[in-house]
Amino acid sequence: MAGRLGTACGVTLRILCGLTLALLAAGCGDTARLSIADGTGPMPALQAPRTSLLPTVVIAPARGWPENATPTAAEGLEVRAFARGLDHPRWLLALPNGDVLVAESNAPARSETKFSLRGWFMAKVMKRAGAGVPSADRITLLRDADGDGVAESRSTFISGLRSPFGMALIGGSLYVANTDAILRFPYRAGETHIDARGVPLLPLPAGAINHHWTKNIIADASGTRLYATVGSNSNIGENGLAEETARAAIWEIDVSSGAHRLFAQGLRNPNGLAWEPTTGQLWVVVNERDELGSDLVPDYMTAVQPGGFYGWPWSYFGAHVDERVAPPRPDRVAAALVPDYALGPHTAPLGLASSENATLLPNHRSGMFIGQHGSWNRKPRSGYRVIYVPFSAGRPSGPPVDVLTGFVDADGDARGRPVGVAVHRSGALLVADDVGNAIWHVTALSVR
């Protein structure tokens, strides 16, 4: 009897898996009724939620770039490969001497032993989108000594890390955010390798689930504090709120002691951080929740209010309650801040960089560059581009404009997916592409 039951369960699982893969290949789920523009800006349109047994899934399968192909630069700009042949490059740090550090990284190996069909399904989705490769766990140094926009040398700068992501330089110390801790390394300008072991500054939430594994960091102007992003451990708290302790937050960290506090909370998956030069405020881009339909929820960019709470998991865009979350918390909903600027539903903004020192076009001189990694939970797709949002008096002042497009080809396959963005010492914009395994170098047409 037990044997027949086990066989039946195995057959049922295979049927479910086959059906899931068929739906994944076909692109299942509802179709958007609003445009990306409708879900962008300080007052995005928010439709009623739409849920289903299986989530909306439309993936651009990862293919990579044909030889010598590049993304499409906006009018007046040109793009070239600063470096190719990298291993899932995710994040960038442009150093003062012109060297560029690249975190070649991916999610750490999962230690969960309990099977779930949803977890299995999402793993298949992410693998098809290009996120299924092992993590290289290193930081690579790229050097463009002759200034032609192409790095002629590369070296392994730090190896043996654990899913590294964010990096910050303070004086003679380089800080690296692994998925589970911030480490400090000695840094000397011009060196191409660090042999010293990293000294732990403080641990970061990780554990067996570690749903949003990327941890980004940025230093303040004084060099005395770091700010770290720590994403949620779930979509909407379905793993239990105990698993969300100190997550879905930005941490403020004292560099000298490692003492820290929660600087802002209720941010489902914060990633890129940047200082707005006019006001000195910290800004962040955030990936909002999934599985409420193709039109919900818009991802966003916002100035971070110290002590602020932004709604996750109980609400989104202020007081819009997510009825899936139990138990309800009307007190938390009432306290939720409205983000400053929506970036469209499911666009997956990851990279964020102020244009303060960029020398692209005149209309790029005051604003933010954003790398949008691209959707899986929207039909049709959204994101898969690098955009620029203009600012005036320290606030967003208009609709986004494209900087780089063409990451998805005519067949719907992803040639690349933009992640981190950074402004090089030369004023060029650098873009990490983790599917194309490249770093793109963007300048005005007249700049070489």
Side-chain angles (χ1 to χ4, degrees):
M1 179 68 180
R4 288 197 299 272
L5 181 60
T7 300
C9 289
V11 170
T12 301
L13 181 58
R14 286 195 294 273
I15 291 171
L16 285 170
C17 291
L19 176 61
T20 302
L21 285 175
L23 289 169
L24 179 58
C28 57
D30 74 300
T31 300
R33 302 170 191 177
L34 301 177
S35 68
I36 292 298
D38 291 330
T40 301
M43 296 175 54
L46 300 174
Q47 289 228 328
R50 299 193 296 275
T51 59
S52 59
L53 179 62
L54 287 174
T56 299
V57 178
V58 178
I59 289 296
R63 292 289 183 262
W65 294 93
E67 187 175 0
N68 298 322
T70 69
T72 302
E75 184 177 358
L77 300 176
E78 65 177 345
V79 58
R80 61 181 55 194
F82 189 74
R84 292 184 187 264
L86 295 161
D87 190 348
H88 213 249
R90 297 281 289 181
W91 215 245
L92 299 167
L93 180 64
L95 295 170
N97 71 339
D99 289 342
V100 177
L101 299 183
V102 182
E104 295 177 273
S105 186
N106 207 347
R110 294 293 180 96
S111 58
E112 293 177 87
T113 57
K114 183 180 179 181
F115 175 83
S116 75
L117 183 59
R118 185 185 186 282
W120 177 90
F121 175 78
M122 291 309 302
K124 293 295 182 185
V125 169
M126 294 303 108
K127 182 176 181 180
R128 195 160 184 251
V133 299
S135 180
D137 285 347
R138 67 172 172 258
I139 292 173
T140 293
L141 183 143
L142 303 175
R143 180 168 292 167
D144 174 19
D146 59 9
D148 66 349
V150 178
E152 64 272 6
S153 69
R154 70 180 68 180
S155 57
T156 297
F157 196 59
I158 306 174
S159 59
L161 297 168
R162 180 167 168 77
S163 296
F165 196 73
M167 299 164 281
L169 181 65
I170 301 177
S173 295
L174 176 69
Y175 294 86
V176 175
N178 275 346
T179 191
D180 56 3
I182 297 176
L183 305 179
R184 180 173 55 237
F185 294 86
Y187 169 81
R188 291 178 59 185
E191 288 186 334
T192 59
H193 181 71
I194 292 179
D195 291 312
R197 292 175 63 106
V199 176
L201 177 64
L202 83 162
L204 296 171
I209 301 174
N210 204 17
H211 181 65
H212 290 122
W213 62 271
T214 55
K215 309 297 197 301
N216 186 29
I217 52 175
I218 193 172
D220 72 348
S222 70
T224 61
R225 291 184 294 273
L226 286 171
Y227 295 84
T229 63
V230 181
S232 66
N233 221 359
S234 62
N235 180 33
I236 50 165
E238 66 272 12
N239 294 321
L241 293 184
E243 295 287 349
E244 305 297 344
T245 302
R247 299 190 71 130
I250 296 173
W251 292 23
E252 182 183 63
I253 303 156
D254 180 82
V255 170
S256 63
S257 65
H260 59 279
R261 68 175 179 123
L262 296 181
F263 188 69
Q265 300 179 69
L267 304 150
R268 177 180 173 273
N269 186 22
N271 277 275
L273 295 166
W275 297 104
E276 199 290 311
T278 304
T279 62
Q281 280 193 296
L282 181 64
W283 284 72
V284 64
V285 288
V286 177
N287 288 204
E288 251 292 355
R289 68 204 70 202
D290 296 319
E291 302 178 39
L292 286 179
S294 292
D295 291 314
L296 288 179
V297 171
D299 300 325
Y300 62 85
M301 169 177 64
T302 194
V304 184
Q305 303 300 324
F309 174 73
Y310 290 84
W312 189 89
W314 294 281
S315 67
Y316 53 89
F317 262 82
H320 294 85
V321 175
D322 192 331
E323 301 288 354
R324 300 172 297 174
V325 181
R329 287 288 304 271
D331 58 324
R332 299 302 278 157
V333 173
L337 298 173
V338 178
D340 289 302
Y341 193 92
L343 293 168
H346 309 296
T347 57
L350 296 180
L352 182 69
S354 167
S355 68
E356 180 183 16
N357 297 313
T359 56
L360 273 65
L361 300 177
N363 61 340
H364 293 141
R365 288 181 181 160
S366 178
M368 295 284 179
F369 295 109
I370 300 167
Q372 294 186 312
H373 200 225
S375 63
W376 67 267
N377 189 215
R378 185 177 191 272
K379 186 179 181 180
R381 287 180 296 268
S382 60
Y384 297 93
R385 60 179 182 160
V386 179
I387 61 173
Y388 172 81
V389 176
F391 274 51
S392 177
R395 308 288 299 175
S397 59
V401 296
D402 288 340
V403 175
L404 286 184
T405 57
F407 288 91
V408 178
D409 66 20
D411 296 324
D413 294 335
R415 294 176 165 188
R417 299 184 78 181
V419 193
V421 293
V423 175
H424 188 257
R425 184 184 66 173
S426 65
L429 177 68
L430 300 174
V431 179
D433 176 351
D434 67 355
V435 162
N437 290 322
I439 307 299
W440 304 109
H441 181 276
V442 186
T443 59
L445 275 171
S446 59
V447 176
R448 288 288 185 180

